[in-house]
Amino acid sequence: MTETAEEPVHRTRILADLTPLRTSPDYRRLWFGNMVSWIGQGMTALAVSLQVYDITQSAFSVGLIGFCSFLPLVVFGLYGGAVADTVDRRKLGLVSSIGSFVLSVVLVAITVVGVEQVGLLYAVVALQAACFAVNAPARSSMIARLLPPEQLPAANALNSMTNTTGTLVGPMLGGLVVGWWGYRAAYTVDAITFTASLYAMWRLPSMLPERKQGAGAGRASVADGLRFLGSRPNLRMTFLTDMCAMVLAHPRALFPAIAVLWYGGDAKTTGLLVAAPAVGALLGGVFSGWLGRVRRHGLAVLLSVASWGMAIAAFGLTRRLWLGLLLLALAGCADTLSMVFRNTMLQAAVPDEMRGRLQGVFIVVVAGGPRLGDFLAGSVADLASPGVAVTGGGIACVVAVTLLGLRWRGFARYDAKNPQP
């Protein structure tokens, strides 16, 4: 009788599955700490941008902030993943979190002393990116050790909500705090909120990488990780499909021009365009309760990426703001679904001794793909028009992911009950 009563609830679950938060105190602390710290980091990211512009009055100088963070993300993402496959991941996560906390305190000290050196702010941003790139592979590879495989989709959906909430709420709060109390207050709040992440890491159990019987605790090589990825078609496809979306159909760099040329708007319109995919991504996480019942993860990734491409292509054809925002929100929701299943495959189908390195590659793709997409979209828009860049990019994404699915047909047959890399 109990099983019959519970079964309909399982079938009709729509909202996010909170089982990982209920069953694992360690995951619950990690998730809450990440949520709080992501909001604080979002505040700091906006505050640094505002402070750089306040000092230089140069949009180019603000743009250099992204460049300063890009190289450390790529280099330390790969290196951090290799280290995470060698040492205790809990200690690595704790040390890198302490590094980020110290850098937040440095920003507070800079404002207290009254130093207005853009170079110093750039250096702090670069070091923060390095700490994040080392921390992220360790933290992501821990999740598969804290939860059973059937809870990984739900956990990744919950993780997507922390990232998106930080992206949305953090800058908004940062603008308010800077406007009311100044840069020092924003940096101080970030430093305080980061203690939640430190506490979560401190309470985790030791997590040395699991190795095959007889294997030594030798040094983990980045090259070995890349060779492993190259020989595993299902894992390789998780990265290739994401690159289809982020490189071919990523119109973010065109939003300022689109706001003016298509909608006759201004900076506020640009803000709406930027926020729409994040809102869709957040809703995708909130209404993710059904994802745990999907077994064909590869097929779900192909459909999600194709949906992203179709939504972006349709966005390039509309000149109604409300419809454009709706299509961008749908694209953001599709991106969340793709991310959940790709991350789950990386956690479930990768041996524990390789998880850090594969998560490091994931960081590089996430960091580098959108930036390549910005460059491609801007170049095509200059050569043709924003409409051609957006719609053409969306169509190219759909074609590319379809060709990939036809070339590696086994990816669509990937079964979460029997994960094969």
Side-chain angles (χ1 to χ4, degrees):
M1 189 68 180
T2 303
E3 293 179 359
T4 305
E6 289 179 354
E7 194 173 348
V9 175
H10 179 75
R11 276 202 294 260
T12 58
R13 186 192 296 276
I14 296 177
L15 296 178
D17 185 358
L18 304 181
T19 303
L21 296 176
R22 290 196 299 266
T23 59
S24 174
D26 288 325
Y27 176 77
R28 183 167 61 246
R29 282 190 292 267
L30 192 64
W31 182 85
F32 178 76
N34 288 340
M35 173 72 80
V36 175
S37 63
W38 266 99
I39 293 174
Q41 290 171 66
M43 293 177 60
T44 290
L46 181 73
V48 169
S49 298
L50 292 173
Q51 189 170 12
V52 168
Y53 187 77
D54 191 29
I55 295 171
T56 65
Q57 298 297 308
S58 166
F60 175 76
S61 297
V62 177
L64 282 178
I65 296 173
F67 177 78
C68 290
S69 65
F70 174 67
L71 188 59
L73 281 173
V74 172
V75 174
F76 285 91
L78 292 173
Y79 176 73
V83 174
D85 285 339
T86 307
V87 303
D88 184 346
R89 288 163 180 163
R90 177 252 184 189
K91 290 183 179 178
L92 181 62
L94 185 59
V95 169
S96 53
S97 294
I98 291 173
S100 296
F101 170 74
V102 170
L103 291 168
S104 295
V105 174
V106 169
L107 287 174
V108 176
I110 289 173
T111 57
V112 170
V113 176
V115 176
E116 293 191 346
Q117 293 292 331
V118 175
L120 186 56
L121 292 174
Y122 287 158
V124 172
V125 167
L127 290 172
Q128 284 179 326
C131 288
F132 172 81
V134 172
N135 182 273
R139 187 177 63 245
S140 298
S141 55
M142 290 176 187
I143 295 175
R145 299 274 293 275
L146 296 175
L147 299 168
E150 63 271 14
Q151 292 184 20
L152 291 179
N156 286 313
L158 291 169
N159 292 341
S160 75
M161 292 170 63
T162 66
N163 301 347
T164 308
T165 300
T167 303
L168 282 173
V169 178
M172 181 175 63
L173 290 179
L176 293 175
V177 172
V178 170
W180 287 339
W181 298 295
Y183 302 115
R184 185 190 312 173
Y187 299 145
T188 300
V189 171
D190 182 27
I192 293 172
T193 57
F194 220 95
T195 57
S197 181
L198 287 175
Y199 175 75
M201 284 288 179
W202 179 265
R203 290 291 304 275
L204 288 175
S206 175
M207 284 195 205
L208 286 166
E210 295 175 348
R211 300 188 181 278
K212 294 178 181 177
Q213 190 172 4
R219 201 165 161 191
S221 165
V222 173
D224 286 344
L226 294 176
R227 280 193 290 269
F228 176 83
L229 177 62
S231 63
R232 303 303 193 274
N234 286 335
L235 298 179
R236 189 170 63 244
M237 278 286 285
T238 64
F239 293 102
L240 293 176
T241 52
D242 188 48
M243 294 295 284
C244 288
M246 294 298 100
V247 176
L248 299 176
H250 197 260
R252 179 184 59 186
L254 305 180
F255 284 165
I258 287 173
V260 175
L261 297 176
W262 293 3
Y263 305 119
D266 52 16
K268 295 178 182 177
T269 310
T270 303
L272 291 174
L273 295 174
V274 171
V279 171
L282 181 60
L283 291 175
V286 170
F287 296 100
S288 61
W290 55 277
L291 299 184
R293 300 193 294 279
V294 177
R295 289 180 55 176
R296 302 280 291 278
H297 287 183
L299 180 60
V301 170
L302 293 173
L303 293 176
S304 298
V305 174
S307 298
W308 164 279
M310 288 187 286
I312 294 299
F315 168 70
L317 297 174
T318 183
R319 297 300 180 267
R320 295 181 180 275
L321 180 59
W322 69 267
L323 183 55
L325 295 175
L326 176 61
L327 290 167
L328 288 175
L330 291 174
C333 182
D335 184 48
T336 288
L337 300 183
S338 168
M339 184 279 297
V340 168
F341 291 117
R342 286 185 292 108
N343 245 337
T344 301
M345 293 174 73
L346 286 176
Q347 292 161 345
V350 177
D352 187 68
E353 62 184 9
M354 282 283 180
R355 281 191 186 125
R357 278 166 282 186
L358 269 293
Q359 289 293 336
V361 176
F362 181 80
I363 293 297
V364 172
V365 171
V366 169
R371 287 165 174 80
L372 291 175
D374 289 343
F375 175 76
L376 180 61
S379 300
V380 174
D382 279 346
L383 293 173
S385 70
V388 171
V390 176
T391 299
I395 293 173
C397 171
V398 175
V399 172
V401 78
T402 300
L403 292 176
L404 286 173
L406 292 174
R407 172 62 180 82
W408 287 284
R409 295 174 185 269
F411 184 67
R413 296 191 295 271
Y414 176 94
D415 188 344
K417 297 293 183 181
N418 183 30
Q420 298 296 322

